[in-house]
Amino acid sequence: MTSMPVSERLGSHIKRAEQALNATKTAVLKPAGVTVAQYSALLHLSENPGISAAALARLCGVTPPTMNTVLNNLQDRALIERTQHEWHRNVLETRLTDEGRAVMADADARAVRVERALAAEFTDEERTALAGLLGRCVEILERERP
């Protein structure tokens, strides 16, 4: 017998919601030809042209080696270009190509439909409360991390 039933573990509920969101986005992004990780990278690159791989990894919540794999795959498909920084030769700046912008637009329209469907299930007050509660979860979990 465990000291806390699974049904009372908030982490289990958060994980189930995260898995459902990821599975749904995986399915809707497939026709756009990108994974959720690739879409996340394209999304953040569209808002932060020239960002480094390390900074992009932090924004996407993945490790730098994982981001390098994502970026290599995107570069192989000519969706991004990576060039040396003007002053810091060991830093690569990453930008979307025209094809990358087109794929990003398609993928984003698909992902936004999911986000809007999710948001439509809640009132404005519930969405605000949910975002606040999840933010508090992040704060608490970051405090508890050794």
Side-chain angles (χ1 to χ4, degrees):
M1 185 72 167
T2 65
S3 59
M4 184 179 199
V6 173
S7 62
E8 293 178 16
R9 296 177 189 225
L10 293 178
S12 293
H13 296 287
I14 293 168
K15 182 66 175 176
R16 284 186 61 223
E18 187 266 339
Q19 287 174 324
L21 178 62
N22 194 49
T24 301
K25 282 192 175 178
T26 295
V28 302
L29 291 172
K30 189 173 185 172
V34 294
T35 65
V36 173
Q38 291 170 338
Y39 165 68
S40 181
L42 293 172
L43 177 65
H44 288 291
L45 281 168
S46 71
E47 294 183 356
N48 303 282
I51 193 171
S52 70
L56 189 57
R58 285 190 293 278
L59 286 174
C60 294
V62 299
T63 65
T66 297
M67 182 51 63
N68 277 324
T69 300
V70 168
L71 292 176
N72 286 336
N73 290 333
L74 292 172
Q75 189 171 19
D76 289 347
R77 293 182 53 204
L79 301 180
I80 63 165
E81 59 186 6
R82 299 167 87 184
T83 56
Q84 279 187 333
H85 187 278
E86 186 177 342
W87 303 301
H88 305 288
R89 296 290 178 204
N90 58 340
V91 173
L92 291 176
E93 294 182 320
T94 307
R95 289 183 169 72
L96 297 177
T97 61
D98 289 342
E99 178 66 16
R101 280 187 282 284
V103 168
M104 168 53 199
D106 179 28
D108 195 47
R110 295 167 184 279
V112 165
R113 282 194 293 275
V114 172
E115 294 287 348
R116 286 194 174 133
L118 181 60
E121 290 298 311
F122 301 95
T123 66
D124 289 344
E125 295 80 20
E126 287 172 330
R127 282 192 301 276
T128 300
L130 180 57
L133 291 169
L134 290 170
R136 279 177 44 202
C137 288
V138 170
E139 291 171 14
I140 292 163
L141 293 169
E142 287 178 347
R143 260 196 333 260
E144 291 295 316
R145 187 182 312 139

